[in-house]
Amino acid sequence: MSATVQPAIVTNAARLAGIVQAVGRRSLDVPRRRWESVLVLAVTTIVYSWFGFRVVAQQHVVSYEVLDRLNRALMIWHNNPAKLSAIGFDYPPLQTLLVSPLAIYRFGVDFLAVIPVASAFFAGLLMMFLNTMMRRTGVPAMLRIGGLAALGLNPLFALYASTGGPLMMWLAFLLASVGAVYAWYITADVRFVMIGGLGFAVAGLAGYTTLMYFLLAAIGIGAILAHLGADGDEVEGTMVGFAAPAIYVVALWTGFNLLLLKNPIHWITSAAPTSDAIEQFTVLGLLRWTGELVLYGAPLAIVVLPALFFVGLSKNNPFAVLLGLMLTLSVLTPAMTVLLGLTDSPMAMENAVPILVMSVIGALWLARSAGEGVTAISGLVVLALVASIPWTFQGMRTYKYQALEMVFTDAVLTGESQEGATTRGGQTVALDPSLEMGQFIQDLDVPEGAVLTDNAATYAVMLFSGEPELFLDRIDQSDGPWLEAARDPAASDVDWLLVTTDGDDLLTEQYSEVGFEGLTLYHENDEYRLYSVPEGFTGLTTVGS
Amino acid sequence: MTTSIHRTGSRRLTDGLESAAATLLPEGICRTFRVMPYASQDGEVLVAAADADDEITLQVVSERIDAPVVLVRHTANEIVAAIDETYPPVEDELETVEERRTRVQMAQMLTRSGLITNEQLQDAMLQHARSGDALGEILVANSAISEDILVAALSEIHQMQRVGLRDFTPDMEVARRLPEPIAQRHQVLPVADADGTLLVAVQRPMDAELLEEVEEAVQQPVRQLLANRVDLDELIQKVHGDHYSELATSFLMENAPEISAHKVFSTGQKVVGIGFLVLVAVFMVVSPMNTLIALVGLASAIYLVVSVYKFRLTLRALGTHLEIEATPEEIAALDERTLPIYTILVPLYKEGNIVKRLVRDMNALDYPRTRLDVKLLCEEDDVETIDMIKSMELPPHFHCVVVPDSLPKTKPKACNFGLQVARGKYCVIFDAEDRPDPDQLKKAIIAFRQTADNVACVQGKLNHFNQDQNLLTAWFANEYSMHFELVLPAMGAAEQPIPLGGTSNHFKTSILRELGAWDPFNVTEDADLGIRLHREGYRTAMIDSTTLEEANSSVPNWIRQRSRWNKGYYQTWLVHMRNPIGLIAKIGLKDFISFNLTMGSAYVLLMNPIFWSLTTLFVFTQASFIQALFPGLVFYVASAMLFVGNFVFIYLNLAGSLQRGEFGITRTALLSPLYWGLMSWAAWKGFLQLFTNPFYWEKTEHGLDEEEVH
C-alpha cells in the first residue's frame, strides 16, 4: 500500500512573505531621469576635458605614472606583437584596460589629449552617480547643481579630474558601488545588492583599496539584514550575490600573479617602496599628517565623521554607522599603507580625494536622515564645500607630501607652462625631452623593433613617438629575449639603443661594466640618449669571454 | 459584527435611503439575496429584506456589515427599486425574471430534497452574487451535486425530456447534419431523427433564437433533449474527432508550408550548408592553420555577440521592473461578471499518476469555475490516463479530450486538437505538473486589457517547486530564474520576438486560431509560435505571475527533455531562416538580429565542449598549435569570454535567483559551469537527432519529485 504525498501549493505572495528585501515587486525608488544623468556626464566631461587639455598638454602638469599607463594602453593595440599582457601587474589592470579604447587610434595619444579626456570622462561618471545619489537623498535641483559645482571647483578634485585618470576611474566605480548600497538601504531592492557587488568587483580592479570598502560593505549588509530580521537563507544568499564578483576578481588576479610572476600577492605589494630612501614615519607623525590631510584636503570630514556615528548610534541608523566606518577607512588608509609598507608615495595629498568624496556621501546620508531638514542640511553641505575651495587651494601649496598639487596651483594662478618647475617633493617637471625624443625617433623612420629600450624607464618617449612597435621592449617577448637582444643587439636586428641619461634603466645597467663603447651617440637631450648600433657591434657577447 | 435580529416595527425604506448605509453591501449580494441596507439607527444597521426569516440571508448580511444588523421585511419591489437607485442597472448584467425563477426553484428543489446543505447553498449563492452564473452550474462545479442531478432538476423545472449519452453509439449521418461549428459552439448534437423531427441533445435549454439557428442549419424541425454536459462533449468529439485530428496535423502544413517544420531543411539551406562544408574542406587542404584560425575567430565572434546581447538584456532587467504588474487591488476590483470563459489546455501523456494533483491545482485558481474550460488532452492510446480521469468523475469544467492516434504524436498536435474544441476567449497551456499562481488568469486578463491590441500573448514566468530536491533541480531553477526574471522581461519590454516558454502562455484564442496555432512538427512549438506571432505583427508581454513546474531531477530524463528543446530551437531557426531577406522585410533588421542572437545560444552550447577541450589541453600541455589558433584580436575576444563572459553568465544565473527571492539556491549558481556541461551534452544529442529523427518527441517523465510513503 502506498500513497502519494501531495505538496501544498505555495503562492508567490506567500513564498515572499517572510523576506525582508523587496523582491518581485517594484521598489520605491526615484524615477529614472536619463536625460539628467547624460547632461551631468556630458557637461562634466566637456568642462574637464577642456580644462585638462590646457593643464596637461599646454602647461605640462601631468604625472609620469599616468603616462606609463597610457603607453601600456597604446601597446595593447600597437605593439609588435600587440599583447594584452602589456597592462602588466604593477597597476590595477583596469587603470590601463579601460583607457585602452582611447588608444585604438593613435590620434590624440602622442599630444596628450587622451589623458584629460579619460580623466574627465570618469570624473563625469562620478558626478553622474553623485547626482543620482543626491536625487535619492531628496536634495532639490538647485542645491544639486550647487553641490556638483562646489565639488567640481574644489582644486584638489579638479586636479585629478583633469589629469589623473586612474584615481578618477577608481573613485567613479567606488562611488557607484557605495551608491548602489545606499540605494539598497533606501529601497530594500535586492537588485542594488547585485549592482553594488558588480560595482565593487570592477572598482577592485581599478584600485585595490576598494577591497577594504567591499569588506565593510559586506559586513554592513549582512548585519543590517540580520538586524531587520532576515532569515539565514536570505542573509547567505544576499551575501553570495554581493560578494561573488569581488571574490572572483581577487581570485582571478591572484591566480594570474601566481601563474605568471610566481608570486600570488605581487599585486598587493607591487606599490611597495623599492629603495630605502623613502621617509620613515612615527605613529605620532602619521597621526599628524593624517590630520593635515583631512584638514586641508577634506575638512568636511571633520564634521561629517562624528555626526555619522552620533546619528547612527543614537537614532538606530545602521547605515550611518556603515558610512561612518567607510569614511574612517578612507581617513586611515594613507597611514595604514605606510605602516604596512605598501606605498612608495606615503601620505600623498591625492589620498584626500577619496576622503572628500566619502565625506560628501556621508553628508548626504545625514541630510536624508534629517527628514524634513534635508534641504537645510544639504544647503549647509554645499556652503561647506564652497568655503573649503580656497582653503584646500592654499593647502595644496603648503602640504608637504604631494605630487603635482603645488605645480597645478601655479599653473592655475599664472596660466603658464610649468615645464622646468620644481614640485614640493623636489622633482622637476620635464615633458619636453620625452616629447622631443619621441618625435625624433618617429621622424627617423626606423623599422619595427629596431630601437632597444627598457620601457619601464622610457615609456614617455615610446608614448610620444606614437609608435611602440618601433621599440624592442621588455613586453614584446618578455625579459628573456630582451636580455638576449641587449647582449647582442645586432643578432636581434636592433639598430638603436635608447637609454636614460641618469642611468636608471635596465639597459644601462646591462652595459654598466663596458659602458656604451663601440656605439655611436646619435642623439641626446636632458633625459635620454639614443645610440646607433654600428655594423659588427658585438655588444656584450665578448664580455667575460 | 454578527448580532442580528429582525423585526417589523422599525424605520422603513420609504422613510429615506441613507447613502452611507446603502453601499455597505456589494451590488451582487443585494440583488441575489434581495436585501438593501438603508439606515443606521441606535448603532444598528437596518437592512431591508424580502425574506427576513431566511437564515442564509441573515448570515450573509451579518458577515459583511461591521455592526449589529436588523433585517426589516419589505416587498421585493421596494427593495429592487432601492437597489436600482443605488446601483443603476446595466442591462446585460441583470438577472432576468425567468433566470431568477429558475434559480429560486433550483435552490428550493435541492434543499428540500436534502441534496445540498445550507452551507453549500450559501457558498453557491455568494458565488452567484459575484459572477452571476447559474446556481446549478456553480453547485456542479463545486462538486456539491453531480451533473446528472442538475440535468434532472433542469428537466423538472423546464419540463423537458432527458437523454443519456454515456454508452450511446451515434448515427454519424444524423449527428453530422448540424454543422460542426454550431454543434461545438453551442454544444448541441443531433442524436436521432424521429419522423422528420430531429432530436438534438443539448446541454441547456436553447432559447428561441438559438433554436431557430439550429433548425435553419438542419432544415427540419428540432426537439431538444437535455443531456449531461460531459457525455455530450465526449460525443461531439467522437463525431467530429477525425476532422479535428486532420486539422490539428495539417492546417499549418497546408496553409503556410513555408513556416511549417514538416521539412527540416529547405533546398536552399541544403545547398548553403553543403557548400559551406565543402569550402571549409577545400581551405583545410590548402591552408589548414589559417582555416582553423578563421573558424575559431568566427566561433569567438558568435560567442561574443550572443553573450553581449544576453548580458545587455539582463542588465536592463536588473535596472528596472519590466513585467506587466497587476496589484492585489486591481485583481480584487475585477468584476467577475465580466470575466470571459478561459480555456486551459493541459496535454497529458502517461501521466495518470498526477491527474489528482493537477485537478487540485486547477481548482485552486482564483477564477469562477463555471467560466473555466479545462481541456485534459489525452492521446487515444493512453488508456491509463483516460481511465484515471473518467474514474474521478470530474465536474464539467474539466473535459477529457481524447486525441485520435496519428502521427506526429506531439504535444502541439494535441494542443491544436484541444484548441478546436476550446470555448474560451482566452486560452492558456499548463503542463500536467504545473502549479500556477492562483491569480494568474486574472492577471493575464488585466494585462490583455492594459496592453495594446496587438499583444496576442502574455507569458507567465516559470520556475520550479522542487528546486531543493537535488543539485540538478537547483541549477534548473537558477537557469529558469535568469531566463524568466531577467531575459524574457527585457525582451518583452523591448518588443523583441520572444521564444515562448513551454507553458503559461496565455493567448487570445481567435488570433491563435487565425495563425494556425502550434506547428505539430516542431518539437519546441512554443518557441516557434512566439516567433510566428511576431512575424504577423503581434507582440508578447510578460506578466508578473509565476507557474511552478517540476524540475527534472534525474540526469537522463533532463538530458532527454533538454535535447528536445535544443532540437526544437534548431528547427525553429531553420524554419524562419529559409528566407532571411523575407524575414528581415517582415520583422525588421533589429528583430531579425535579436531572433538570431536568441536562437544562437543553442549553437553556442555546441561550441562549448570544443573550446573547453582546447583550454584544458593548453593548460596541461602548453601546446603551441593551440596558441597559434588564437592570434591577436581572436585571443582578446576568447580571453574576454573565458575570464569575463563565463563569470558574467554564472553571476546572471545567481542574479536571477536573487531577483526571484530564492536565496537558498544562490550558492548553487556558482557551480553553473558543471550544468553548462550537461547543457552541451543535451545540445549535441538534439543536434544529431535533427538529422536522424527530427520529429521524435523526447517525452519527459513527470512526478519524480513526489515522495512515496508506505
Side-chain angles (χ1 to χ4, degrees):
Chain A
M1 178 85 183
S2 71
T4 304
V5 174
Q6 297 284 336
I9 302 174
V10 179
T11 65
N12 214 31
R15 186 179 62 82
L16 298 174
I19 290 174
V20 166
Q21 295 168 92
V23 292
R25 61 179 190 269
R26 216 176 288 273
S27 61
L28 296 170
D29 195 13
V30 288
R32 284 185 150 196
R33 215 178 284 164
R34 203 178 290 256
W35 64 266
E36 186 174 321
S37 295
V38 171
L39 188 68
V40 172
L41 173 66
V43 169
T44 312
T45 305
I46 291 168
V47 169
Y48 279 131
S49 294
W50 168 79
F51 180 66
F53 185 73
R54 216 176 121 74
V55 173
V56 173
Q58 294 171 2
Q59 298 175 324
H60 290 190
V61 180
V62 63
S63 154
Y64 266 74
E65 276 192 6
V66 174
L67 298 181
D68 187 15
R69 288 179 183 84
L70 190 53
N71 183 48
R72 286 165 185 269
L74 193 65
M75 285 202 282
I76 289 174
W77 302 107
H78 303 293
N79 206 8
N80 181 26
K83 265 189 176 178
L84 194 60
S85 59
I87 59 175
F89 291 93
D90 296 333
Y91 308 111
L94 285 191
Q95 292 189 357
T96 306
L97 208 55
L98 289 187
V99 182
S100 67
L102 293 173
I104 292 177
Y105 297 104
R106 302 167 202 259
F107 177 78
V109 172
D110 53 355
F111 68 97
L112 292 171
V114 166
I115 293 172
V117 170
S119 300
F121 176 73
F122 288 108
L125 282 182
L126 187 149
M127 290 293 198
M128 186 179 83
F129 296 139
L130 190 63
N131 181 58
T132 304
M133 194 181 267
M134 287 199 276
R135 284 182 55 224
R136 279 202 179 95
T137 304
V139 177
M142 289 311 289
L143 283 177
R144 289 206 300 274
I145 295 169
L148 294 177
L151 180 66
L153 288 171
N154 183 293
L156 192 60
F157 186 88
L159 165 63
Y160 289 97
S162 53
T163 69
L167 180 66
M168 272 303 132
M169 181 191 295
W170 171 61
L171 278 177
F173 291 130
L174 181 67
L175 183 66
S177 315
V178 177
V181 179
Y182 190 99
W184 169 78
Y185 190 79
I186 292 174
T187 64
D189 192 333
V190 73
R191 288 173 298 177
F192 286 116
V193 170
M194 297 180 256
I195 294 168
L198 287 169
F200 273 113
V202 175
L205 290 176
Y208 299 138
T209 321
T210 308
L211 298 175
M212 301 298 292
Y213 292 91
F214 160 73
L215 276 178
L216 274 182
I219 294 167
I221 289 171
I224 288 168
L225 280 176
H227 178 71
L228 294 173
D231 65 14
D233 268 354
E234 185 174 353
V235 176
E236 181 201 298
T238 309
M239 283 294 96
V240 170
F242 181 70
I247 291 175
Y248 172 73
V249 297
V250 168
L252 188 67
W253 200 230
T254 304
F256 278 152
N257 278 256
L258 176 66
L259 205 67
L260 301 172
L261 304 175
K262 314 292 180 209
N263 176 9
I265 57 163
H266 173 84
W267 59 279
I268 300 173
T269 56
S270 61
T274 48
S275 74
D276 295 336
I278 199 149
E279 185 175 338
Q280 300 299 309
F281 289 84
T282 62
V283 172
L284 212 58
L286 285 174
L287 281 176
R288 179 198 158 191
W289 291 111
T290 299
E292 284 208 15
L293 202 58
V294 173
L295 183 65
Y296 291 120
L300 187 62
I302 297 169
V303 180
V304 170
L305 185 57
L308 281 170
F309 283 115
F310 175 76
V311 169
L313 298 174
S314 65
K315 300 198 170 172
N316 191 21
N317 187 335
F319 196 65
V321 176
L322 178 59
L323 286 177
L325 290 172
M326 285 186 173
L327 180 53
T328 306
L329 175 66
S330 67
V331 170
L332 295 181
T333 297
M336 283 195 301
T337 54
V338 174
L339 285 174
L340 296 170
L342 295 176
T343 178
D344 56 1
S345 48
M347 304 309 290
M349 199 171 189
E350 71 172 323
N351 290 304
V353 185
I355 305 174
L356 176 63
V357 171
M358 291 306 299
S359 305
V360 173
I361 298 173
L364 288 176
W365 184 252
L366 289 173
R368 191 177 193 282
S369 302
E372 290 178 358
V374 61
T375 305
I377 303 256
S378 45
L380 285 174
V381 172
V382 173
L383 283 179
L385 284 171
V386 171
S388 69
I389 290 173
W391 176 253
T392 300
F393 191 86
Q394 185 55 32
M396 289 168 74
R397 300 187 62 76
T398 57
Y399 182 78
K400 182 179 176 186
Y401 302 103
Q402 56 167 272
L404 295 164
E405 280 79 1
M406 191 187 75
V407 176
F408 173 76
T409 57
D410 285 342
V412 171
L413 288 174
T414 63
E416 290 173 0
S417 170
Q418 296 302 302
E419 183 72 27
T422 306
T423 67
R424 281 277 293 159
Q427 290 172 319
T428 306
V429 174
L431 271 194
D432 282 345
S434 305
L435 280 163
E436 188 273 336
M437 184 59 84
Q439 190 60 49
F440 184 81
I441 291 172
Q442 194 180 18
D443 294 343
L444 264 182
D445 200 19
V446 299
E448 288 190 2
V451 183
L452 184 68
T453 192
D454 173 11
N455 58 286
T458 58
Y459 49 81
V461 178
M462 291 174 70
L463 174 70
F464 294 138
S465 77
E467 296 177 65
E469 65 271 33
L470 303 181
F471 299 84
L472 179 56
D473 53 69
R474 292 166 62 188
I475 290 166
D476 290 348
Q477 293 159 28
S478 79
D479 274 354
W482 185 85
L483 286 168
E484 188 51 41
R487 217 169 75 82
D488 187 1
S492 300
D493 295 330
V494 166
D495 298 328
W496 312 89
L497 265 59
L498 175 67
V499 295
T500 54
T501 51
D502 62 7
D504 189 15
D505 66 288
L506 193 58
L507 193 51
T508 307
E509 199 180 298
Q510 294 297 305
Y511 281 80
S512 57
E513 279 187 37
V514 296
F516 291 104
E517 282 177 23
L519 292 166
T520 311
L521 180 61
Y522 192 81
H523 183 69
E524 140 179 73
N525 62 28
D526 290 348
E527 299 270 329
Y528 306 100
R529 290 196 186 105
L530 182 68
Y531 293 97
S532 70
V533 179
E535 269 189 50
F537 181 67
T538 55
L540 304 174
T541 52
T542 52
V543 176
S545 60
Chain B
M1 202 52 84
T2 56
T3 313
S4 310
I5 50 172
H6 43 91
R7 56 182 182 246
T8 51
S10 310
R11 177 184 163 176
R12 300 194 52 84
L13 252 177
T14 44
D15 298 331
L17 186 63
E18 287 178 11
S19 56
T23 51
L24 284 174
L25 290 174
E27 182 187 3
I29 298 277
C30 293
R31 291 197 187 278
T32 302
F33 293 92
R34 290 270 163 93
V35 289
M36 187 68 211
Y38 60 93
S40 294
Q41 187 176 292
D42 304 329
E44 297 171 325
V45 176
L46 304 182
V47 179
D51 185 357
D53 299 324
D54 182 41
E55 283 177 24
I56 293 179
T57 305
L58 178 63
Q59 190 175 343
V60 167
V61 171
S62 305
E63 282 174 2
R64 279 158 186 76
I65 295 181
D66 195 19
V69 168
V70 178
L71 294 186
V72 183
R73 192 179 305 281
H74 283 72
T75 66
N77 285 345
E78 285 175 319
I79 295 171
V80 170
I83 297 172
D84 288 349
E85 186 187 331
T86 309
Y87 301 106
V90 178
E91 197 60 41
D92 293 343
E93 292 172 7
L94 280 187
E95 190 180 30
T96 63
V97 175
E98 180 66 19
E99 284 166 344
R100 183 173 180 83
R101 189 180 61 79
T102 305
R103 176 165 63 82
V104 173
Q105 267 185 297
M106 175 75 72
Q108 285 170 352
M109 196 182 288
L110 295 174
T111 44
R112 282 175 192 162
S113 56
L115 287 167
I116 56 170
T117 62
N118 269 2
E119 208 172 48
Q120 287 171 323
L121 179 63
Q122 181 184 329
D123 194 27
M125 293 278 273
L126 287 174
Q127 286 179 46
H128 167 78
R130 284 201 303 272
S131 67
D133 289 332
L135 187 68
E137 290 180 17
I138 292 171
L139 287 164
V140 173
N142 290 352
S143 298
I145 56 171
S146 69
E147 173 73 3
D148 281 336
I149 291 176
L150 175 63
V151 171
L154 286 171
S155 158
E156 186 67 27
I157 291 168
H158 296 286
Q159 290 299 299
M160 193 182 276
Q161 263 191 312
R162 285 183 281 158
V163 60
L165 300 175
R166 195 147 299 162
D167 300 312
F168 180 74
T169 307
D171 175 341
M172 291 299 185
E173 186 277 320
V174 173
R176 288 174 181 159
R177 278 188 204 167
L178 184 65
E180 182 276 330
I182 300 178
Q184 179 58 44
R185 188 163 62 245
H186 303 297
Q187 292 287 291
V188 181
L189 191 78
V191 289
D193 191 334
D195 303 327
T197 299
L198 195 63
L199 305 183
V200 295
V202 293
Q203 59 163 354
R204 294 291 173 264
M206 293 189 284
D207 59 23
E209 197 180 338
L210 178 56
L211 185 63
E212 192 182 341
E213 185 186 344
V214 171
E215 285 184 334
E216 199 170 299
V218 296
Q219 295 289 308
Q220 66 183 115
V222 158
R223 203 173 114 213
Q224 304 178 53
L225 304 172
L226 272 177
N228 178 310
R229 279 181 290 173
V230 177
D231 299 339
L232 178 58
D233 181 53
E234 285 179 9
L235 192 63
I236 293 175
Q237 283 179 48
K238 199 185 279 183
V239 169
H240 297 290
D242 291 341
H243 170 63
Y244 296 150
S245 182
E246 172 66 20
L247 282 181
T249 307
S250 61
F251 183 86
L252 191 71
M253 187 172 66
E254 286 173 2
N255 291 283
E258 72 284 358
I259 49 167
S260 161
H262 71 285
K263 256 190 354 189
V264 181
F265 300 100
S266 68
T267 311
Q269 285 171 336
K270 283 178 189 163
V271 170
V272 170
I274 294 170
F276 178 74
L277 290 177
V278 169
L279 209 62
V280 170
V282 169
F283 277 112
M284 279 297 284
V285 172
V286 177
S287 177
M289 202 58 199
N290 283 336
T291 309
L292 286 173
I293 289 172
L295 289 175
V296 167
L298 180 67
S300 301
I302 292 173
Y303 255 115
L304 185 71
V305 290
V306 168
S307 305
V308 168
Y309 169 71
K310 220 163 178 180
F311 186 49
R312 204 181 131 260
L313 283 176
T314 43
L315 266 191
R316 185 171 178 218
L318 268 181
T320 183
H321 196 93
L322 298 169
E323 304 90 328
I324 295 172
E325 230 176 349
T327 62
E329 294 73 30
E330 284 173 307
I331 293 169
L334 268 182
D335 183 351
E336 289 196 353
R337 288 172 299 180
T338 66
L339 292 179
I341 296 205
Y342 217 116
T343 294
I344 299 174
L345 301 172
V346 189
L348 293 158
Y349 192 61
K350 300 199 186 298
E351 290 169 305
N353 59 330
I354 50 175
V355 172
K356 276 185 185 161
R357 192 169 82 185
L358 166 70
V359 169
R360 180 201 66 175
D361 295 344
M362 293 302 105
N363 278 337
L365 287 169
D366 173 21
Y367 205 84
R369 289 181 192 174
T370 40
R371 295 179 187 218
L372 282 180
D373 173 36
V374 185
K375 306 290 190 197
L376 305 176
L377 309 172
C378 305
E379 295 289 339
E380 193 177 19
D381 63 352
D382 184 11
V383 181
E384 188 194 339
T385 308
I386 296 170
D387 286 349
M388 168 59 83
I389 293 170
K390 295 211 164 153
S391 72
M392 290 172 70
E393 297 192 348
L394 296 168
H397 60 280
F398 286 97
H399 304 260
C400 179
V401 177
V402 180
V403 182
D405 199 11
S406 68
L407 288 175
K409 193 187 286 183
T410 56
K411 173 179 161 185
K413 192 192 78 179
C415 289
N416 283 347
F417 192 100
L419 185 67
Q420 291 174 78
V421 293
R423 295 190 302 126
K425 180 182 179 188
Y426 301 112
C427 65
V428 59
I429 293 187
F430 289 130
D431 273 349
E433 85 286 8
D434 281 2
R435 293 178 202 166
D437 263 351
D439 56 8
Q440 189 171 114
L441 302 187
K442 286 186 174 175
K443 279 189 172 176
I445 283 177
I446 290 171
F448 277 124
R449 288 176 182 175
Q450 280 180 357
T451 49
D453 285 345
N454 69 342
V455 172
C457 173
V458 293
Q459 168 76 59
K461 298 176 186 175
L462 301 181
N463 221 291
H464 302 300
F465 52 73
N466 61 329
Q467 59 189 30
D468 298 324
Q469 192 179 346
N470 59 30
L471 191 57
L472 184 62
T473 59
W475 277 334
F476 208 162
N478 288 141
E479 182 199 6
Y480 258 38
S481 297
M482 179 182 87
H483 190 67
F484 286 97
E485 301 290 332
L486 302 173
V487 176
L488 287 192
M491 291 179 80
E495 297 200 340
Q496 291 173 354
I498 287 186
L500 300 177
T503 80
S504 305
N505 20 51
H506 302 249
F507 298 98
K508 289 176 178 166
T509 310
S510 56
I511 292 177
L512 191 56
R513 284 190 176 128
E514 174 196 313
L515 280 178
W518 296 272
D519 184 347
F521 294 94
N522 193 314
V523 292
T524 50
E525 75 295 341
D526 33 30
D528 172 70
L529 180 57
I531 310 303
R532 278 173 35 226
L533 281 169
H534 200 89
R535 283 177 76 124
E536 297 307 317
Y538 295 111
R539 293 293 175 264
T540 299
M542 290 292 295
I543 49 169
D544 193 10
S545 175
T546 305
T547 298
L548 296 179
E549 299 188 304
E550 180 194 341
N552 245 308
S553 53
S554 109
V555 171
N557 200 30
W558 185 94
I559 293 282
R560 275 201 299 278
Q561 182 185 51
R562 190 52 65 103
S563 69
R564 173 167 61 79
W565 292 0
N566 280 294
K567 184 170 70 177
Y569 262 48
Y570 303 134
Q571 271 186 320
T572 304
W573 185 79
L574 286 167
V575 164
H576 295 283
M577 289 296 285
R578 284 174 186 166
N579 178 4
I581 306 294
L583 185 61
I584 293 174
K586 198 124 193 172
I587 64 175
L589 184 63
K590 191 168 145 258
D591 290 347
F592 175 82
I593 293 170
S594 160
F595 164 69
N596 276 281
L597 293 177
T598 306
M599 294 294 151
S601 58
Y603 291 97
V604 165
L605 290 173
L606 295 177
M607 298 191 295
N608 274 343
I610 300 168
F611 280 88
W612 293 333
S613 305
L614 285 174
T615 309
T616 312
L617 203 62
F618 182 73
V619 167
F620 286 109
T621 66
Q622 306 281 310
S624 58
F625 90 90
I626 297 176
Q627 199 170 2
L629 287 176
F630 295 89
L633 194 62
V634 178
F635 174 72
Y636 290 169
V637 172
S639 302
M641 292 317 303
L642 179 65
F643 297 117
V644 182
N646 280 319
F647 177 75
V648 164
F649 277 98
I650 292 171
Y651 194 69
L652 291 179
N653 269 300
L654 189 154
S657 296
L658 278 184
Q659 174 94 333
R660 189 174 148 66
E662 289 295 352
F663 297 98
I665 56 167
T666 50
R667 58 178 176 270
T668 57
L670 299 176
L671 300 173
S672 299
L674 300 174
Y675 184 63
W676 300 343
L678 292 177
M679 288 169 83
S680 289
W681 178 4
W684 272 103
K685 186 179 175 197
F687 183 69
L688 296 175
Q689 221 178 58
L690 188 68
F691 300 93
T692 57
N693 203 357
F695 308 121
Y696 177 63
W697 189 276
E698 290 272 14
K699 178 72 185 127
T700 314
E701 195 182 335
H702 293 301
L704 299 178
D705 68 306
E706 292 190 342
E707 185 188 343
E708 289 288 323
V709 291
H710 298 275

